[in-house]
Amino acid sequence: MRIKSILCSMLFFCLCCKVFAQTNVATKIILQKNITAKRTAEKIKIDGLLTETAWKGAPIAKNFTELRPSPFRKEEEANRTEAYILYSDEGLYLAGYCYEKSKDSISTELRGRDGFGNNDWIGFVFDTYNDKLNGFEYFTTPLGEQMDAKVAPNQNGNNEDFSWNAVWESSAKIHADGWSFEMFIPFSAIRFSKKNIQDWGINIFRRRQKTGQQVFWSPLDPNVNGFLTQSGLLSNLENIKPPVRLQFSPYFSTYGNHNPYSIDTDDKWTSSINGGLDVKYGISQALTLDMTLIPDFGQVRNDNVVLNLGPFEQRFSENRAFFTEGTDLFNKGNLFYSRRVGERPKNYWNVYNNLDAGDKVISNPQTTKLANATKISGRLQGGLGVGFFNAIANQTFAVVEDANKTRRKVETSPLTNYNIIVLDQTLKNNSSVSLINTNVLRNGSEYDANVTAALFDFNDKKNTWNVGGKASTSKLFNYRGDRKNITGYTGSLYFGKTSGRFNFNFSNTITDANYNVRDLGYFTITNFMEHNLWLGYNWRKPTNWFNQLRINLSSSYSRRLKPNVYQSANFNLSLNGQLKNLWWTGFFAGYEPSGNNFYEPQTNQFENKFFKTWKSIYANFWFETNNAKKYQFRPQIFYVDRSFFAGHKLELSMSHRYRFSDKFSASYGLSWEEQKNNAGYAAAGPVFGRRDIKTIQNSISLKYNFNNKMGVTSDIRHYWSEVEYKEFFDLLDDGTLQKNNSFSNNVNQNYNTFNMETAFTWQFAPGSFAYVVWKNFNDNDHTFDRIIGQGYTKNLNNTLGLGHVNNISLKIVYFLDFLQIRNLKKKKTL
């Protein structure tokens, strides 16, 4: 059966290639543009006004070409873009003029750092090693706000990482016929080689928000994979030297916390004062060390927790800057889930499970505190990317008090070291090979874990065809304290076409039952073999009713590896695009035949318990109005029809956003979901249940920016979910359900969570910030019960009436650059 499934998938894949091969349109041949660099000795004031004489003789980039909505159309003369580039011993000077027919055509909104919002903008990307894979982007808006990103390769071309932040200068001015800008990028904010004469890849791009236009200096063919492969050239940069890159960001923070549920204190108030340091050091022209000493993540926004009925943990977003900035190398192979570092202690729940009579838990920290964390990353001149990550989490204890008021400490997490090593060699034609190793070492008797993976990703000379794969092995040492080592493996191959109007990707993955990356990665299913096929066709040339349109077909087929039995399959069709009025819309439909679910029983996987699932037909429709307008509306409807118990799922969601001015905007989101006659795990046994599920979420976001350096945001969220069980069943060995009339436990679930966060941010100097944050939220341990039937309004009132945790904090981060300090000392001695 396994061989048959592979052959069927390959046959289907070949037929699709044959059908679509004739429809592919050849890509447009574009000659590479070139601009010659010019050095200046003049000190230029970054004020957005091009008044210095140096700009008069600066090389100019003009004659931009449109990418959206009409590829290859030349920009209009009245709305033309002109950009200038100079360089000095200290860095790059960038400037330009973005012409408009009238001042009213300029779109502006204050959004804060890295917030594109409803803005016109202009951006520069520099491929400093000219390898067509890696780059640095810098953007500014008519109000002088900054956005920047690091560009790295991925399977679909290039990926922009906007969590990467550098310290540089920008300013802009609005005029009657457009807007002008100036930017200064110090060489400490970009990476490059030590060659005496250098040629960099470069492109310059501009967005005109009200028309939906994006224009590029070096034209982009939308049917070609990647955008760095289509860059122009900035040539003859002479005798520029990478500076000493040593930067310090010491911080001071103080917290006041009121927890009405605290057992350990009478007044419920606690406070703390903290201090620490972030360090960036350029080990070489390519490698950078990032270190955080005594990190403080207390101001990081709270997670959007939901009621999780499934067998797998909820995956949360990463909001800690240290773990999001410059992590492209560490994310290769999907082995790193950064929330593992500092997560809830492994033995958190054991404290409650092992209480003696009369014991009570005084404190049980929900996170482990980090002693330090370090990253070394960069790409050497020969194209070798090097990544090293290490973090140490302190030993964590809960405090338990017995009936005699005697307190004892209970270890919930040992001293733990997390480590990642990555080697990523870029090759010709936007190709690469990689080796990744992750390692978790725990003090004491707890087990250790190690994962190693090798990756390859190859493209042909025309950047049209792509093939790649992954082979990985995992090992757990002294697992469960019995000195037993467990080794697992996984492997995958994929092949596809990545350029042209027609694209496809076919992949196959096989994973054995022992493969486990959960200690430093996020992982769900094991013991399977899966085939996936994706086909896509696009129309990029605008017509009378759309600007662009894409249709996608996808399917997957999965089998259990041991025993070799069918698990699941699905077939999907989607259509999405942009209309002439700049609205986006999309449609999605699919079919999922019945299968065998080995995970819903929530038993040991080696027991091979499974649940025979239902057939499903599902569809989704959404649209989004023009984002350039003051009011934007985005509704969505999703419906699933299930054959089991004649069940169904209906989900309605909508979001509204209104911009009152360039400074103030508000948005509101609502999602409502109802599932009737859903079947799923109810209790150990396993006992299954027929159940109805209702979920409602309301969220409000407010944003006010005083200027491009100072602003305040506020986010409010209430989430409610209710599960009502109608009848119960035993899961039989053949995967079917048998009515259980004796089970009478109340396993209904009613869960609420409420949180409100208000944050004030002030950039009082380059790279230096002051933050004031107020958090108001429910303690999750007090928002769950088994009382159902009260409805949403009653649950909201009950939740607001509970005692809330309140936290207010102040954090000041000051940026210090070694070069600035040294130059300041030199001036004082003169």
Side-chain angles (χ1 to χ4, degrees), residues 571-588:
F571 307 89
N572 305 297
L573 166 70
S574 66
L575 182 71
N576 60 77
Q578 186 188 51
L579 307 180
K580 298 298 289 185
N581 59 359
L582 303 186
W583 285 29
W584 290 90
T585 186
F587 170 78
F588 172 80

Side-chain angles (χ1 to χ4, degrees), residues 251 253-255 257 272 274 295-302 320 757 773-775 777 807-809 811:
Y251 81 85
S253 64
T254 181
Y255 292 82
N257 190 76
S272 63
N274 310 286
D296 173 22
F297 302 122
Q299 290 190 332
V300 171
R301 65 180 300 130
N302 289 347
R320 300 170 295 179
E757 300 180 25
V773 176
W774 172 53
K775 297 183 180 182
F777 57 93
N807 178 286
I808 188 165
S809 60
K811 185 176 184 179

